[in-house]
Every structure is written in C-alpha cells, then in structure tokens.
Amino acid sequence: MRRLLYICAFLAVHGALSAQTVSGSWYGHADVEMAGIHNNYLTELIIRQKGTRVDGIFGYYFRDKYQSFFIHGRYDPKSRQITILNIPMIYYGSVSTLNSVDCNTHFKGILLTSRAGSSVKGFLLHDAKYRYTCPDIKVSYILDKSDNQTDSTISAGLASARIWKPQEDDLVVDAVQAATPAQPTVSLPPPAEQKATTDSAQTTIAPAKATVAAPPADPEKEDNKKIVESFVKRKSVLKRVLEVESDSVRLSFYDNGEIDGDSISVFVNGQLAVIHKELAAKAFNLFLRLDSTRDINEVGMYAENLGRIPPNTALMVVTDGKNRYEVFMSSSFTENATIQLKRKKSALAATQQP
C-alpha cells in the first residue's frame, strides 16, 4: 500500500512538472564549444508561451556590447524542447565589437524541472554554411522565480538589465506597438466681441469672450511635433527595397564620409522612432521588430542638419540574422531618404505554419 502511495505521489509530481510552462525570465551564460576557447556571453531569454508557440526577447552581452532581438519559436510539450531559429551572435573571435561580424545560429534547448528549480540547457547551433568558422555555443539558463513581469517586459520591447546595462547607442523599436505621434494643435483666432446678427429668419448671439489659461508647453513634445511636421513636408526618396528573412532586423547607422556633425531622426512607418542621433564612425544600432500586418515596413531618415559638408549622408547596414545589406542614405532639408523592408515569402510562410 505504501509503495502504491509513493508511485501515485511520483506520478502526480511528474505530471505537474511536465505541464509546466516555459514562460518567464531566464538568465544565464553561453560558452563557445571549442578546446582552449573561454569566450562566453551573458544572456537572457524572456518568453511567453501560448500553446506550442513562444514569443519574446533574446538578449546577450559580449565584451562591451549588448544586443537584443524579438524572437518567435516553438515548444514541444512532449519532449520539452524549445526551438528558436535565426539568432545572430557576434563572432566569438572578434577583437572589437564595433566592426564585428555575426554568426547566424539556431537555439535548441530542453526544459528541466525539479524541486530545486527550473532550468533550460541547450545550444546555439551554427549555420551549416559557417561550420568552419562559427562553433556551437553551449547555453545554460536558470528561471528567475522572483520576476513576474514577463508580459510587461516583452511589451516594453527591451530585455531588462539584470546583469548588464544596455549601451546608450542600442535602441529597440517595436513597429507593432510604435506610439502614435500627438495630434497637431490647431491655433484658433481669438473670439470676437459679443455681438448680435439679425436677419429675417433668426437672431444669433455670439457667446461672451472667455479667458482660458493655456497649459504649460512641454519642450520635448514641441520638439517632436516640429520634427514630425517637417518630415511630412519633405519629399521621401526611396533608396532600396529589401527582402528580409526575419521579422526583426538590426539597423546600424554610420557617418558615410568625414565626421562632420551630421544629426538625424529616424521614422518607422511614418512614426517618429529615434530623435537627435549624431552620426559617427561608431554606429548606433536600432533593433526593429517589423509590423507583420503590413506588406511593407518603411524606414525614413530625416536630416536635422547638414553638418559642415552637405548633404547629410549615412551608411545604413541592415542585418536580418542571415543577410547583410549596405544602403547609402542621403537627406537634405527638402528630402528624406527611405528604405522599404519586405518579408521573403518563404520565410513568412514558415512562420505562419501551425
């Protein structure tokens, strides 16, 4: 009888553990799988599970660089395997992260549960095309039981800085949840003095003049408003149309030529996303999650000034985790440089499979 109770208790515990979701905040480290190599990455995975689909944010810190990506993947409840495709990782041998190259990897991990806690063990597997240069990376995650903000963190679009602080030039923009710019304020003429207008049909009496105290102006909102209004007035010039593999991309902006103080703002689908960024030899990075409800996502570069050497020029490098594109952008006080991003049909079909 006692043995039967033990068996029943074991099955109950095992069943509860098997039903455990992978939703939550997982943090840990990733180590390169090569003899004599001790380079590692600090990494965090914030995911939300719905059925067999997982969505969230993958972030990692390597040397002096933080990167964060929106990710989508699959979870098999029977095998407890998590699969996430197309995660770009900085090459482990990079001496500098400023001009580094990426290794495209695919994450496969197994959920492990016990009374002591939950963990995910797995690998960032190298792409077959780079098997001689990019080794597999062993990953070990531990669940943070104290973090109950998974949904809000994903909605915010940025992995929380648990063991690192995102660099100032690393920005994350979610085109799906991009804020709508404030509606322009319409200035009305002052009301006329009280008067009466009489005709054969009716008499209309204008209301008495009233004095309403205007709310204090917000300098930041006023600044944003002026840039939005100016952006709309300028002509948008399409530079390139790119087909990308992933639903999130990295955009890196460099000054294309002599560093002369060029400053830009960046618009995503007509919404102001980044403001007052100076172009330099060191890129500033924008991680963009594309809006899947649109056939085309558009990125526009607005020139805030022309620097010392007109026009305002930039080199934009677009990375989708598999491909790298270079686009030369040139803006002026009359034109905005734009690119259009389209998902490849094969990649889009793969993500829509049940």
Side-chain angles (χ1 to χ4, degrees):
M1 182 66 179
R2 181 176 297 177
R3 183 178 180 183
L4 180 60
L5 290 175
Y6 285 151
I7 294 174
C8 292
F10 173 78
L11 292 176
V13 171
H14 184 268
L17 295 177
S18 297
Q20 182 172 338
T21 177
V22 294
S23 295
S25 295
W26 304 83
Y27 65 97
H29 56 89
D31 304 292
V32 175
E33 284 285 283
M34 285 187 69
I37 301 297
H38 304 289
N39 296 27
N40 60 19
Y41 307 73
L42 300 179
T43 178
E44 188 167 33
L45 185 63
I46 303 175
I47 52 178
R48 175 176 51 211
Q49 176 193 340
K50 288 186 178 181
T52 59
R53 182 180 173 92
V54 293
D55 301 274
I57 297 168
F58 172 87
Y60 73 91
Y61 183 82
F62 179 72
R63 295 189 182 276
D64 60 350
K65 195 67 174 178
Y66 171 84
Q67 301 206 63
S68 178
F69 300 91
F70 291 95
I71 53 90
H72 303 294
R74 296 289 174 183
Y75 175 65
D76 184 344
K78 293 182 179 179
S79 64
R80 300 193 193 183
Q81 179 170 288
I82 307 168
T83 302
I84 302 171
L85 303 180
N86 298 322
I87 298 179
M89 301 290 291
I90 292 178
Y91 175 57
Y92 78 95
S94 298
V95 177
S96 169
T97 57
L98 299 180
N99 301 303
S100 62
V101 296
D102 290 336
C103 291
N104 193 49
T105 65
H106 309 296
F107 176 69
K108 290 187 180 294
I110 300 294
L111 172 65
L112 304 173
T113 55
S114 68
R115 287 189 177 90
S118 300
S119 62
V120 171
K121 308 289 185 182
F123 289 88
L124 288 160
L125 302 172
H126 63 260
D127 191 289
K129 292 190 298 183
Y130 305 102
R131 60 183 179 274
Y132 298 114
T133 54
C134 296
D136 292 338
I137 304 174
K138 186 177 181 179
V139 183
S140 178
Y141 286 114
I142 296 175
L143 178 65
D144 182 1
K145 296 180 180 180
S146 65
D147 187 1
N148 298 316
Q149 305 298 321
T150 302
D151 288 346
S152 60
T153 302
I154 293 174
S155 297
L158 183 63
S160 58
R162 188 182 322 283
I163 42 183
W164 58 76
K165 181 179 180 180
Q167 302 296 295
E168 182 181 355
D169 61 351
D170 288 336
L171 306 167
V172 177
V173 173
D174 188 349
V176 180
Q177 300 171 348
T180 302
Q183 295 297 322
T185 303
V186 179
S187 301
L188 300 176
E193 298 293 335
Q194 181 173 337
K195 62 181 181 178
T197 302
T198 307
D199 57 24
S200 58
Q202 61 181 5
T203 299
T204 303
I205 299 178
K209 182 178 180 180
T211 301
V212 180
D218 185 326
E220 183 177 346
K221 288 184 179 180
E222 288 297 316
D223 187 25
N224 291 358
K225 176 187 170 185
K226 290 179 180 178
I227 289 179
V228 171
E229 291 175 346
S230 178
F231 176 83
V232 173
K233 292 178 181 178
R234 297 180 184 181
K235 179 183 178 181
S236 291
V237 179
L238 182 62
K239 298 297 182 179
R240 285 188 67 180
V241 178
L242 302 176
E243 285 192 326
V244 295
E245 297 277 355
S246 177
D247 58 1
S248 62
V249 297
R250 182 179 68 190
L251 308 177
S252 301
F253 294 84
Y254 304 81
D255 192 309
N256 180 39
E258 183 178 342
I259 310 304
D260 61 344
D262 288 340
S263 180
I264 66 170
S265 291
V266 180
F267 285 74
V268 176
N269 296 328
Q271 312 293 331
L272 181 59
V274 179
I275 189 171
H276 300 328
K277 296 299 293 185
E278 185 172 343
L279 297 173
K282 176 183 177 181
F284 79 82
N285 298 314
L286 187 154
F287 301 94
L288 172 65
R289 177 189 179 188
L290 303 180
D291 185 347
S292 60
T293 65
R294 295 172 176 265
D295 293 331
I296 294 174
N297 283 257
E298 188 167 275
V299 178
M301 189 183 88
Y302 168 89
E304 296 179 354
N305 61 31
L306 302 181
R308 295 189 303 275
I309 308 174
N312 189 317
T313 56
L315 170 63
M316 177 196 293
V317 179
V318 182
T319 308
D320 64 2
K322 184 176 181 180
N323 304 298
R324 182 179 186 274
Y325 305 95
E326 293 186 356
V327 185
F328 294 95
M329 310 284 278
S330 177
S331 298
S332 66
F333 288 150
T334 60
E335 295 182 348
N336 304 310
T338 64
I339 65 167
Q340 292 181 347
L341 303 173
K342 299 171 60 177
R343 288 292 306 279
K344 284 189 177 180
K345 292 183 179 180
S346 57
L348 186 61
T351 59
Q352 293 177 342
Q353 289 179 357

